[in-house]
């Protein structure tokens, strides 16, 4: 090989230095690609990657870089409490940064690494960039089987980290140091690609992490990954324009891609010019302001009556940056039989769904081009009047849900009304699984892109608190609210301790209803009689969990992790508590009790959850009859 300048480093040291010199650029804005590394050390990485992180920090201080500032070869480190939680935090960070900046996550061999699998699936499903660095077995195999090593007689090259393969958009195991020279740039390419991005995994054998190699200095030069904006092909644009011009009842559906591309202004201009109503998905809420005359609210299984009524009669549906999940399509029942589709997406895989006219392009660029190409087109006055009427009806529904009087415990919808008052356009509200996402899609009045942060691709309980940490790191000037139910809280409260130790302030609104409100309601409507969906003690008389309430004190638990805790007794006290939490400079948990059984916003669409085909239970028999009736509305969009 040709002679070139080299520097001798371990693989762990080299990887840290390489990541510190990666940059992204979009629209002329250049940013450091990696804001830092979440990690938990064990014997698999403490002396490898962990030593590399420490050495980079120490060398920066020795070079005169003040503590709190970042050295040129340094990757800031954050100690997490749970490996799944740190991946969720990294996802929250990348989403808040519109996928132009991200975090790495480092874990030790065995359970430390496999704890990241859920986060990997979430990141890939949601198309959010996260770099995962699980430790692995010895490459030299001398001490095999090492602690926490899975042995399979079918082959010694298989480890538990192979479970990351189907969950990652790029996977490699670095068996030799020099393999990093080829693999690391490929990993960066995938992370920076809006169409391909997701979890990227570089598995690091523990001996290779500590092994030295003479690295080309060129490997550590600043590298800029340019995030482009693919423009629509002229013929694809022409076909889309032709389809829209023929439409008499068009509907646009804004997904997460509309927000990631920064297409809010272009979307608003498109709606202003054409009058085409705009519905949104969970990921797309906020792409257009809730009070815009064309904004008709959430679409699908938990969507607004306005959007779902328009979808039922739509002849052309324009999907912008959406992957058409079952909640958005109400399990393929929300659109009428004559609907045709135009899909705008950077990923051809998603653009092709539902037999659509495909426009494979950046959302902002495509909407700008469509607006120009549709000059002179506008929806008919009668359709515009119908949109206005449906919008007004939907907003009256929201007002009624926010103002519902319910006792002795308040309804969750009323709690969300108070929260909607508190969260400004400059703030971020985070939520994931449970009943709250369904209520929020219909009720939350989002005023800005990035204000509404819902993880509903994987619908992962326990996402909210760690994600809030990531969002706050990405947007330190915003007030960040994590709305979490008691079910989600009990799965992953640990990162409260990380927030406290790092001095990161978020506001956690913990809704305590002593059970699973969403699944309880689903269970009741599907013939399973709320079985196993409430937090109760085991009743010796029935043998079921239908005794007294669990004696779990979540407020005391949050306080034990170092957070400030407020326990308002009603809606007025909740308003006061949220004001106090906002004024506080520390992480504050606001615990509010609500009624487990509702009331909830009115449902206007269906979701396919199969009911037992045969049963001795009358409730199940009735639910099956309803299911057979409702599924007749399902269709393929071809």
């Amino acid at each position: 090989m040709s002679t070139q300048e080299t520097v001798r480093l371990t693989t762990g040291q080299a990887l840290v230095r390489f990541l510190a010199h990666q940059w992204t650029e979009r629209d002329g804005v250049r940013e450091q690609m990696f804001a830092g590394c979440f990690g938990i050390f064990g014997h698999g990485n403490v002396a490898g990657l962990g030593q590399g992180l420490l050495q980079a920090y120490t060398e920066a201080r020795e070079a005169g870089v003040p503590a709190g500032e970042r050295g040129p070869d340094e990757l800031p480190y954050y100690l997490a409490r749970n490996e799944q939680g740190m991946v969720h935090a990294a996802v929250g960070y990348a989403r808040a940064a519109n996928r132009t900046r991200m975090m790495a996550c480092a874990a030790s061999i065995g359970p430390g690494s496999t704890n990241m699998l859920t986060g990997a699936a979430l990141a890939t499903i949601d198309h959010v960039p996260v770099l995962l660095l699980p430790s692995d077995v010895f490459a030299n195999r001398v001490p095999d089987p090492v602690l926490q090593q899975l042995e399979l007689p079918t082959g010694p090259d298989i480890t538990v980290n192979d479970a990351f393969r189907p969950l990652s958009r790029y996977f490699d195991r670095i068996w030799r140091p020099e393999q990093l020279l080829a693999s690391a740039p490929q990993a960066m390419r995938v992370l920076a690609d809006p169409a391909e991005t997701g979890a990227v995994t570089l598995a690091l054998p523990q001996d290779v992490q500590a092994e030295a190699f003479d690295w080309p200095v060129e490997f550590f030069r600043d590298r800029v990954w340019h995030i482009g904006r693919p423009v629509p092909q002229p013929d694809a644009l022409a076909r889309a324009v032709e389809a829209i011009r023929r439409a008499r009842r068009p509907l646009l559906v804004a997904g997460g891609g509309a927000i990631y591309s920064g297409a809010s202004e272009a979307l608003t201009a498109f709606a202003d010019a054409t009058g085409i109503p705009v519905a949104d998905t969970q990921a797309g809420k906020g792409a257009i302001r809730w009070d815009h005359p064309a904004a008709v609210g959430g679409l699908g299984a938990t969507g607004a009556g306005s959007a779902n009524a328009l979808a039922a009669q739509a002849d052309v549906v324009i999907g912008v940056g959406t992957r058409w999940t079952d909640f958005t399509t109400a399990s393929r029942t929300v659109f009428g039989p004559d609907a045709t589709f135009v899909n705008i997406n950077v990923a051809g895989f998603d653009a092709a769904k539902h037999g659509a006219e495909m426009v494979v392009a950046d959302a902002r660029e495509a909407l700008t081009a469509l607006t120009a190409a549709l000059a002179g087109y506008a929806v008919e006055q009668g359709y515009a009047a119908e949109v206005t009427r449906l919008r007004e009806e939907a907003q009256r529904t929201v007002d009624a849900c926010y103002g519902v009087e319910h006792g002795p415990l308040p309804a969750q919808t009323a709690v969300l009304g108070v929260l909607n008052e508190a969260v400004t356009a400059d703030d971020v509200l985070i939520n994931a699984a449970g009943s709250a996402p369904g209520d929020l899609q219909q009720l939350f009045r989002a005023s800005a892109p990035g204000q509404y942060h819902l993880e509903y691709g994987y619908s992962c309980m326990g996402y909210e608190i760690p994600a809030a940490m990531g969002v706050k790191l990405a947007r330190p000037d915003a007030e960040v609210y994590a709305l979490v139910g008691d079910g989600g809280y009990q799965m992953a409260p640990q990162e409260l301790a990380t927030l406290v130790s790092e001095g990161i302030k978020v506001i956690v609104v913990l809704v305590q209803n002593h059970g699973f409100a969403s699944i309880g309601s689903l269970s009741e409507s599907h013939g399973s009689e709320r079985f196993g969906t409430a937090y109760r003690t085991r009743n010796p008389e029935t043998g079921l969990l239908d005794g007294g309430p669990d004696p779990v004190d979540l407020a005391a638990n949050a306080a034990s992790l170092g957070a400030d805790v407020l326990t308002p007794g009603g809606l007025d006290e909740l308003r006061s508590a949220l004001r106090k939490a906002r004024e506080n400079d520390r992480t504050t948990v606001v615990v509010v009790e609500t009624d487990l059984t509702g009331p909830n916003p009115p449902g206007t669409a269906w979701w396919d959850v199969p009911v037992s085909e045969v049963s001795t239970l009358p409730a199940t028999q009735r639910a099956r009859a309803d299911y057979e009736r409702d599924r007749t509305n399902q269709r393929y969009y071809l």
Side-chain angles (χ1 to χ4, degrees):
M1 298 182 66
S2 61
T3 302
Q4 56 187 160
E5 185 182 0
T6 61
V7 58
R8 192 160 182 81
L9 299 168
T10 68
T11 303
Q13 295 161 1
L15 181 56
V16 170
R17 184 173 295 189
F18 173 84
L19 295 177
H21 287 271
Q22 304 306 299
W23 298 75
T24 62
E25 179 274 326
R26 186 172 73 166
D27 299 335
V29 178
R30 175 172 152 161
E31 299 176 285
Q32 204 152 18
M33 189 170 183
F34 288 93
C37 177
F38 290 110
I40 298 177
F41 297 131
H43 69 276
N45 65 349
V46 65
L49 188 62
Q51 192 279 338
L53 289 163
L54 171 63
Q55 181 165 306
Y57 170 86
T58 303
E59 289 175 348
R61 306 292 83 74
E62 291 174 347
V65 178
E69 296 184 18
R70 182 171 174 173
D73 298 330
E74 188 181 358
L75 197 62
Y77 169 72
Y78 301 91
L79 171 60
R81 266 52 178 185
N82 176 275
E83 291 88 356
Q84 177 178 316
M86 70 188 183
V87 183
H88 289 169
V91 169
Y93 184 98
R95 280 192 63 172
N98 274 343
R99 304 191 301 190
T100 60
R101 301 193 74 203
M102 59 206 69
M103 303 284 286
C105 296
S108 188
I109 183 176
S113 290
T114 55
N115 278 351
M116 297 197 295
L117 288 169
T118 295
L122 182 149
T124 294
I125 286 172
D126 289 348
H127 300 303
V128 177
V130 174
L131 177 62
L132 305 180
L133 303 173
S135 299
D136 219 314
V137 299
F138 274 67
N140 65 27
R141 300 182 184 168
V142 172
D144 286 7
V146 296
L147 180 64
Q148 298 173 328
Q149 178 176 345
L150 171 71
E151 286 189 289
L152 292 177
T154 54
D157 62 332
I158 299 174
T159 80
V160 293
N161 286 341
D162 284 277
F164 284 98
R165 290 183 184 271
L167 307 179
S168 303
R169 297 308 302 257
Y170 181 87
F171 176 93
D172 196 10
R173 183 177 286 111
I174 308 301
W175 290 114
R176 292 180 56 83
E178 57 266 38
Q179 290 177 342
L180 196 64
L181 293 169
S183 193
Q186 286 294 332
M188 301 303 104
R189 176 192 65 80
V190 173
L191 286 168
D193 188 319
E196 292 191 42
T197 197
V200 165
T201 302
L202 295 179
L204 303 172
Q206 52 191 308
D207 55 338
V208 176
Q209 290 183 46
E211 185 177 344
F213 180 74
D214 293 321
W215 303 87
V217 172
E218 179 70 7
F219 183 58
F220 305 111
R221 68 174 174 85
D222 280 1
R223 174 72 180 267
V224 181
W225 299 89
H226 301 278
I227 302 175
R229 291 191 177 275
V231 298
Q233 295 180 352
D235 55 345
L237 180 67
R239 289 191 295 270
V241 169
E242 181 182 1
I244 296 169
R245 282 191 178 277
R246 289 198 307 264
R248 298 177 65 84
R249 300 181 63 85
L251 174 69
L252 187 146
V253 180
I259 290 179
Y260 290 137
S261 73
S264 181
E265 290 184 9
L267 177 59
T268 302
F270 176 86
D272 288 339
T274 65
I276 293 176
V278 178
D280 50 55
T281 70
Q282 286 282 15
K285 185 174 288 294
I288 191 169
R289 285 183 57 93
W290 71 273
D291 55 358
H292 188 279
V296 295
L299 177 73
T302 54
S306 49
N308 289 338
L310 292 168
Q313 301 296 323
D315 50 5
V316 173
V317 181
I318 308 162
V320 180
T322 177
R323 60 192 185 92
W324 294 120
T325 68
D326 66 335
F327 254 64
T328 299
T329 68
S331 299
R332 301 191 181 221
T333 63
V334 77
F335 298 111
D338 299 325
T340 60
F341 292 79
V342 173
N343 284 343
I344 298 168
N345 207 295
V346 291
F349 177 84
D350 291 315
K353 291 176 177 176
H354 300 334
E357 288 289 356
M358 298 169 58
V359 181
V360 181
D362 172 78
R364 192 187 76 179
E365 295 300 311
L367 285 169
T368 300
L370 269 181
T371 303
L374 286 168
Y377 169 86
V379 300
E380 296 175 357
Q381 289 185 354
Y383 186 51
E386 181 182 351
V387 170
T388 298
R389 175 180 60 80
L390 289 169
R391 285 192 72 257
E392 291 173 350
E393 289 178 2
Q395 292 310 314
R396 286 194 291 271
T397 297
V398 174
D399 290 337
C401 289
Y402 281 173
V404 64
E405 294 184 5
H406 185 75
L409 295 174
Q412 179 171 273
T413 59
V415 169
L416 298 184
V418 174
L419 190 58
N420 208 152
E421 296 171 11
V423 180
T424 73
D426 295 324
D427 300 336
V428 183
L429 174 68
I430 299 166
N431 188 237
S435 61
D439 290 359
L440 285 166
Q441 190 188 15
Q442 191 171 160
L443 302 181
F444 192 80
R445 289 166 165 160
S447 300
Q451 179 193 21
Y452 184 85
H453 182 122
L454 263 284
E455 194 294 296
Y456 218 54
Y458 207 40
S459 186
C460 188
M461 297 178 71
Y463 171 83
E464 298 91 343
I465 293 173
M469 176 168 61
V471 171
K472 186 67 174 183
L473 288 171
R475 296 185 55 183
D477 295 331
E479 289 290 349
V480 178
Y481 294 78
L483 175 64
V484 60
D486 52 346
Y489 177 88
Q490 291 183 69
M491 288 194 175
Q494 304 95 324
E495 302 312 326
L496 278 177
T498 308
L499 288 164
V500 172
S501 67
E502 293 284 357
I504 302 169
K505 182 238 175 145
V506 302
I507 300 170
V508 178
V509 180
L510 172 52
V511 178
Q512 166 74 302
N513 55 26
H514 303 281
F516 300 119
S518 175
I519 297 303
S521 176
L522 186 70
S523 172
E524 185 174 39
S525 65
H526 284 63
S528 295
E529 302 177 1
R530 292 186 177 263
F531 176 76
T533 62
Y535 289 134
R536 296 290 186 270
T537 58
R538 182 72 64 181
N539 186 340
E541 296 182 4
T542 65
L544 300 175
L545 291 170
D546 60 0
D550 270 352
V552 177
D553 190 335
L554 298 185
N557 176 265
S560 74
L561 293 171
D564 290 351
V565 178
L566 301 172
T567 55
L571 297 180
D572 288 338
E573 289 187 17
L574 175 60
R575 289 185 177 90
S576 176
L578 290 175
R579 286 193 296 269
K580 185 174 181 180
R582 192 179 186 95
E583 294 166 357
N584 197 0
D585 61 359
R586 301 185 72 253
T587 286
T588 304
V589 177
V590 180
V591 184
V592 56
E593 296 236 7
T594 63
D595 191 327
L596 178 64
T597 58
N600 305 110
T604 59
W606 185 66
W607 186 39
D608 191 346
V609 178
V611 179
S612 296
E613 190 169 0
V614 295
S615 175
T616 60
L617 302 180
T620 307
Q621 295 168 2
R622 291 190 297 270
R624 179 68 191 193
D626 292 342
Y627 177 73
E628 293 288 358
R629 179 198 65 217
D630 293 338
R631 69 189 298 198
T632 60
N633 295 319
Q634 283 184 300
R635 62 187 58 86
Y636 291 105
Y637 304 123
L638 302 175

